[in-house]
């Protein structure tokens, strides 16, 4: 380890300029509730004109719980990617699954990638590109000590073969596949139980173009923030109106993320006659405090009816740029300072609890007097 650190330091001090390498990291959760299971989606992307990625290490923030006891073959999630296949001169979509793997199957690759064959767990991204199988191991380790333990509970490490070396070069990527975008989900990660802002981190290292040698001096850091929990409330009441056969349904609610109002968020309102038939009927925007309210007229029936309401908020991924990225990997967490290029906030979709209101029956018509 000391020898490797010294080598990295020497490369950094050599003063080579940063490569054309500007990756981005975006993390989203299946659930936005504190302490909830359901899993995490990791999205890593680089521009087609960037240097090829050699290695990426993802740091799971403190507070997240990692399950590592699954038996080999257990599916943890799905995977999707796009690669530029140099041999085909085309961008190729890649799909597959994420599964627990037998560490012994990847011992040699683990040693080459991380310096050791021993890891807490190994996951396999079992992919297919243009009919060609691709298996990418993910080396998983719980973190319990050292400088990294100050901000990470686990690491996920992926190494990729060089795509742009001559055909026939030992260890060259299948099809000359250069990673552009990779997404994978895993249900082995559970949200923190405590409200807060959780900063995911990744360090990524490219190859020197056309050489197949790792350009350690060009290593960069990228980040993605998760605000937990994100919640949406909704309540509704029914009022009489002066119009015969019409009731007025008043509703209100609020969106909160990490205790702060979701301002200027787009809220979809859904309603239906049953809990499973709700459909969108209105979209509005929250105020500066994350609150929203409104009303709608509901026609009465001959008998009392139930109306079911649901609110849903969807936020888009946001890029915070370099100003949102706070460098983590300074000595002693790293043998040399790694620049932090970019931070994002992953978009979320959250629904309110289902609300039921009772709309009274329409008034019965008064009987006509005799003789009229």
């Amino acid at each position: 380890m000391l020898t490797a650190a010294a080598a990295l330091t020497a490369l950094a001090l050599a003063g080579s300029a940063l490569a054309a390498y500007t990756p981005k990291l975006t993390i989203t959760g299946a659930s936005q509730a504190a302490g909830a299971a359901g899993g995490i989606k990791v999205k890593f992307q680089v521009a087609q004109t960037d240097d090829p990625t050699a290695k990426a290490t993802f740091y799971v923030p403190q507070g997240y719980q990692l399950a590592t006891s699954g038996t080999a073959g257990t599916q943890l999630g799905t995977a999707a990617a796009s690669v530029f296949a140099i041999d085909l001169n085309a961008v190729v979509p890649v799909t597959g699954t994420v599964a627990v793997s037998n560490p012994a199957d990847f011992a040699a690759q683990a040693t080459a990638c991380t310096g050791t064959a021993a890891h807490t767990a190994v996951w396999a991204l079992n992919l297919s590109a243009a009919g060609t199988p691709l298996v990418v191991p993910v080396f998983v380790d719980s973190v319990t000590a050292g400088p990294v333990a100050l901000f990470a509970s686990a690491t996920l490490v992926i190494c990729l073969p060089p795509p742009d070396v001559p055909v026939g070069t030992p260890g060259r990527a299948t099809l000359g596949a250069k990673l552009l975008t990779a997404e994978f989900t895993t249900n082995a990660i559970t949200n923190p139980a405590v409200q807060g802002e959780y900063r995911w981190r990744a360090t990524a290292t490219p190859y020197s173009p056309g050489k197949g040698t790792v350009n350690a001096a060009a290593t960069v850091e990228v980040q993605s923030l998760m605000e937990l929990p994100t919640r949406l409330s909704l309540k509704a009441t029914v009022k009489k109106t002066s119009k015969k056969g019409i009731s007025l349904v008043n509703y209100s609610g609020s969106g909160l993320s990490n205790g702060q109002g979701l301002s200027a968020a787009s809220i979809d309102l859904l309603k239906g006659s049953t809990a499973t038939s709700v459909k969108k009927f209105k979209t509005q925007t929250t105020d500066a405090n994350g609150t929203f309210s409104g009303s709608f007229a509901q026609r009465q029936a001959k008998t009392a009816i139930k109306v079911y309401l649901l609110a849903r908020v969807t936020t888009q991924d946001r890029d915070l740029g370099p100003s949102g990225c706070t460098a983590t990997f300074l000595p002693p967490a790293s043998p040399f300072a790694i620049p932090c290029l970019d931070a994002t906030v992953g978009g979320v979709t959250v629904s309110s609890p289902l609300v039921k209101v009772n709309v009274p029956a329409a008034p019965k018509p008064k009987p006509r007097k005799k003789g009229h």
Side-chain angles (χ1 to χ4, degrees), residues 39-255:
I40 292 293
K41 180 171 77 173
V42 177
K43 181 178 181 180
F44 179 82
Q45 58 193 114
V46 294
Q48 187 170 326
T49 53
D50 279 5
D51 295 341
T53 298
K55 181 177 181 178
T57 302
F58 304 95
Y59 297 84
V60 182
Q62 281 287 354
Y64 284 86
Q65 300 298 313
L66 181 70
T68 59
S69 59
T71 56
T74 301
Q75 184 170 330
L76 301 175
T78 58
S82 63
V83 299
F84 180 71
I86 295 174
D87 297 355
L88 305 176
N89 193 31
V91 175
V92 177
V94 180
T95 58
T97 61
V98 182
V100 177
S101 184
N102 182 353
D105 294 342
F106 297 101
Q109 288 164 277
T111 301
C113 178
T114 68
T116 178
H119 294 280
T120 305
V122 177
W123 301 339
L125 308 184
N126 299 305
L127 307 168
S128 176
T132 301
L134 303 172
V135 180
V136 180
V138 182
F139 304 108
V140 182
D141 285 291
S142 299
V143 177
T144 58
V148 173
L150 296 175
F151 56 85
S153 62
T155 58
L156 316 175
V157 183
I158 295 175
C159 287
L160 300 173
D164 59 349
V165 291
V167 175
T169 302
R172 180 180 185 267
T174 303
L175 300 177
K178 177 183 179 181
L179 178 69
L180 303 180
T181 302
E183 297 181 10
F184 65 91
T185 62
T186 172
N187 59 23
I189 299 176
T190 300
N191 285 351
V194 179
Q195 174 182 309
E197 178 185 89
Y198 293 88
R199 189 174 293 260
W200 287 70
R201 299 162 169 88
T203 53
T205 305
Y207 285 107
S208 295
K211 297 181 179 180
T213 55
V214 176
N215 186 1
T219 299
V220 296
E221 178 185 5
V222 286
Q223 301 176 343
S224 187
L225 280 60
M226 288 275 285
E227 303 281 351
L228 293 172
T230 299
R231 293 188 288 243
L232 192 63
S233 66
L234 180 66
K235 59 182 180 181
T237 57
V238 178
K239 301 291 184 182
K240 293 181 180 180
T241 70
S242 58
K243 293 184 179 181
K244 186 177 180 180
I246 299 294
S247 288
L248 187 68
V249 179
N250 295 316
Y251 62 84
S252 62
S254 65

